[in-house]
Amino acid sequence: MTTPLAAKIARDYGTPCAVIDMDRVERNIARIQAACDAAGVANRPHIKTHKNPTLAQLQVKAGAKGITCQKLGEAEIMADAGIDDILISYNLLGDEKMARLGALQGKTNVTVAADNSVVVGDLPKAAAASGRPLSVVVECDTGRKRAGVETPAEAIALAREIAGSKGLTFAGFMLYPTETGWGDAQKFYDEALAGVRAHGLDAAIVSTGGTPNLVNIGKLKGGTEHRFGTYIYNDRMQVAAGVATWDDCALHIYSTVVSRAGPERGILDAGSKTLTSDTGGLEGHGLILEHPEAKIARFAEEHGFLDLARSNTRPGVGDVVRIVPNHVCVVVNMMDEVVMVRGDEIIGTLPVAARGKLR
């Protein structure tokens, strides 16, 4: 069954379509800001989820100290919109990026992350181009085995290298602890902090991260800020992690059932180019709110294959359904714009301004 709002969306914008509920967006922003305030840590939201300066400005207006960007291109978009405290939480390399980073640092306050000497060796070029010191945090691996130095000794050595490099300032540490690894993260940080202090340095920034770590906010003694990203929209992964409810999920994909060739199967017009193939470790590729027992079992590029064997209610051809994505961040990056609603009213659109900014 198609709701009146879904009918309006389909009529005015077509499907598949990304729709955000601004009441939920604002509620999510307020909820996480309040959690940070209560824990005594600054909120530095990660814009990789929404990629939109208007929403970033809402986060800052609500109390965020600045923002986090994963890529330089995202930071350039945000700086052009007037955001003036940006952490780029990613290793940046090469003359092209150093020239862009220098230009960015010349007009806004930027901190960058590094986890190796090659990256640190490039960064003075950006500082020189900007004409002022560049702040650098050491990224530390505390269990995720992604980026980051693996030992406190490496963190101390890299901090000293940063401090000894012309134009660079050692600013602190950036961590992304696993949901159950905060004790190990504390040991890592304590040893690293003692080591840099022994060499006359200190950590002004100690940044932790992750929306799934909401339950751990403020647990790291000495932590100064936390990087939440997905919370602004939430998704099926966050519900599974226990840090959001379905009512906190602010972005839905509206999709039309275009085929029902068999009683237990159907086709959506949202395939891998809309919902992406990232399952987030969950079964199926999203929750259909109108038919929660249905399964989006697999994809072609523009086909979402419905398995209706377990569904007590089954959609018909032409029905427009609402889907909560598994991983909303990658879904948003597939969209040129999102449609904004309040209640049953469409209030406008927002461009995904930093879409495709992968470098």
Side-chain angles (χ1 to χ4, degrees):
M1 181 178 177
T2 302
T3 67
L5 178 59
K8 290 181 192 176
I9 295 290
R11 181 194 67 214
D12 293 349
Y13 297 95
T15 63
C17 183
V19 178
I20 60 171
D21 183 320
M22 287 302 297
D23 290 331
R24 293 185 182 191
V25 165
E26 291 167 1
R27 190 171 72 230
N28 290 339
I29 289 173
R31 179 173 73 106
I32 293 304
Q33 187 61 51
C36 287
D37 292 345
V41 297
N43 181 20
R44 187 183 288 278
H46 207 314
I47 63 85
K48 70 183 179 67
T49 300
H50 58 73
K51 294 177 174 282
N52 179 270
T54 298
L55 297 182
Q57 288 163 343
L58 285 180
Q59 291 170 310
V60 171
K61 185 178 179 180
K65 71 166 293 184
I67 62 169
T68 306
C69 297
Q70 195 76 341
K71 293 297 182 78
L72 185 54
E74 294 174 338
E76 290 166 334
I77 293 290
M78 296 297 150
D80 286 345
I83 305 292
D84 65 0
D85 186 347
I86 301 173
L87 168 66
I88 302 177
S89 55
Y90 201 87
N91 286 328
L92 300 176
L93 278 167
D95 289 344
E96 183 265 347
K97 286 189 174 62
M98 292 306 103
R100 290 165 59 202
L101 177 58
L104 181 67
Q105 165 80 351
K107 62 184 178 182
T108 194
N109 294 308
V110 181
T111 301
V112 298
D115 78 348
N116 64 78
S117 295
V118 176
V119 170
V120 172
D122 253 4
L123 293 175
K125 300 173 188 175
S130 72
R132 61 193 184 109
L134 175 65
S135 296
V136 186
V137 293
V138 174
E139 182 173 5
C140 304
D141 173 29
T142 51
R144 290 191 184 272
K145 300 302 177 188
R146 195 166 68 175
V149 296
E150 292 200 331
T151 68
E154 291 175 287
I156 296 162
L158 197 61
R160 295 182 67 195
E161 186 175 341
I162 292 164
S165 298
K166 186 176 181 180
L168 304 186
T169 300
F170 169 67
F173 301 105
M174 185 181 79
L175 307 88
Y176 188 9
T178 66
E179 287 79 354
T180 58
W182 284 65
D184 291 337
Q186 187 73 60
K187 292 175 185 176
F188 188 115
Y189 166 66
D190 289 345
E191 186 175 338
L193 180 64
V196 297
R197 283 180 170 172
H199 293 283
L201 304 174
D202 209 346
I205 298 171
V206 182
S207 184
T208 55
T211 297
N213 273 319
L214 173 60
V215 295
N216 295 312
I217 184 70
K219 268 190 183 177
L220 188 80
K221 185 178 179 181
T224 65
E225 65 179 39
H226 193 84
R227 308 180 310 279
F228 290 98
T230 313
Y231 81 96
I232 192 167
Y233 291 154
N234 289 305
D235 55 22
R236 199 169 163 224
M237 290 169 59
Q238 306 315 309
V239 174
V243 296
T245 68
W246 298 119
D247 285 340
D248 297 322
C249 293
L251 183 144
H252 298 147
I253 296 296
Y254 283 57
S255 177
T256 301
V257 179
V258 295
S259 176
R260 280 293 314 280
E264 294 187 348
R265 64 188 180 94
I267 296 293
L268 297 170
D269 64 0
S272 64
K273 286 184 175 178
T274 300
L275 290 167
T276 86
S277 56
D278 184 355
T279 65
L282 301 173
E283 183 182 13
H285 294 274
L287 176 82
I288 300 175
L289 292 173
E290 291 81 7
H291 306 280
E293 298 90 3
K295 180 180 176 183
I296 306 174
R298 58 191 179 92
F299 286 143
E301 291 179 42
E302 305 293 359
H303 297 72
F305 290 74
L306 287 176
D307 177 354
L308 303 172
R310 295 180 298 180
S311 186
N312 293 323
T313 61
R314 299 180 181 185
V317 172
D319 283 359
V320 179
V321 298
R322 298 166 298 157
I323 303 166
V324 178
N326 285 14
H327 188 181
V328 72
C329 306
V330 286
V331 168
V332 171
N333 193 53
M334 311 285 272
M335 306 293 164
D336 288 327
E337 66 179 12
V338 295
V339 175
M340 298 182 292
V341 301
R342 288 191 189 276
D344 290 331
E345 297 299 318
I346 300 169
I347 61 172
T349 63
L350 279 178
V352 184
R355 177 186 185 271
K357 299 298 182 182
L358 305 178
R359 61 181 182 87

